[in-house]
Amino acid sequence: MPNTRHWLVKPFVLCAALAVLVGGAKAADMPVAGGTEFVPMAPAGSIWAGPYLGFEAGGSQTVTDVKAGGQKKDYSRFDAAFGVFGGYNWEVSRVILGVEGAATYIGDTKKGQHPVLGTIETGSKWSVTAKTRVGLPINNFMPYISLGVAATDHSLKANGRTESSVGLGAVLGAGVEVAMHDNWRLRADYTLTGIADTKDTFAGTQAKRTAGNHRLMLGIARAF
């Protein structure tokens, strides 16, 4: 799994923001003393429940920590990212539960110098994700959090040799979705993905690489 200094701060901040939104929504549902009787919000199923398919694009950053011969260095690359996603939502009381799959191009490899390995090239190009989502609809807005797993490629090239792998890592995410007219939806989605934690040997020198990716994507989807 990636180093927590790189990957856990931003998701906690986003989850805290979502908690504020959720708390505000719950407060709005409570009756006011001496006022009129509270009228519950209309069921969300007609807006959110059912299948959907969409496209997303945004920014992606992959960071790899390479440690060899007692020397450690980080290599970071920021790229444009794009992909497709689709899923299914169920309405359970006032909560929306869903499953979603996505295939995303997340960037290219980064060239750099390592104090022990010399010139290296490392990074990830694609990721396939499966996750569950929990959302709280507020009229046509829905903040949500997500949790799942991702299969992501990763490679490290040093001393004329390339070691490639497909790692299975945890996925944490959060976002906000907006239901538009004619079953169209817009969303902003943040995803944190663990990629690789492996050891390889290059010209007799053992190298450990730990990598992760975070990305912020804007998406548009069609509900069916």
Side-chain angles (χ1 to χ4, degrees), residues 1-13 172 192:
M1 287 292 296
N3 190 308
T4 55
R5 292 176 300 173
H6 294 296
W7 310 115
L8 294 182
V9 175
K10 292 176 181 174
F12 286 159
V13 171
L172 298 174
L192 170 73

Side-chain angles (χ1 to χ4, degrees), residues 18 49 163 196:
L18 288 177
E163 289 289 345

Side-chain angles (χ1 to χ4, degrees), residues 11-36:
F12 286 159
V13 171
L14 287 172
C15 289
L18 288 177
V20 172
L21 290 174
V22 172
K26 290 184 177 179
D29 288 349
M30 297 181 64
V32 179
T36 60

Side-chain angles (χ1 to χ4, degrees), residues 142-169:
M142 184 177 71
Y144 63 86
I145 57 175
S146 57
L147 175 66
V149 294
T152 309
D153 86 303
H154 193 273
S155 64
L156 173 60
K157 181 179 181 180
N159 296 319
R161 180 184 173 194
T162 301
E163 289 289 345
S164 299
S165 62
V166 176
L168 193 65

Side-chain angles (χ1 to χ4, degrees), residues 157-195:
K157 181 179 181 180
N159 296 319
R161 180 184 173 194
T162 301
E163 289 289 345
S164 299
S165 62
V166 176
L168 193 65
V171 174
L172 298 174
V176 178
E177 196 163 334
V178 183
M180 309 296 287
H181 294 293
D182 299 324
N183 294 325
W184 288 101
R185 300 173 184 170
L186 300 177
R187 77 179 190 182
D189 182 88
Y190 176 83
T191 302
L192 170 73
T193 305
I195 299 176

Side-chain angles (χ1 to χ4, degrees), residues 94-110:
R94 292 280 306 273
V95 177
I96 297 298
L97 302 180
V99 293
E100 181 175 294
T104 311
Y105 169 81
I106 61 175
D108 208 336
T109 56
K110 170 76 173 182

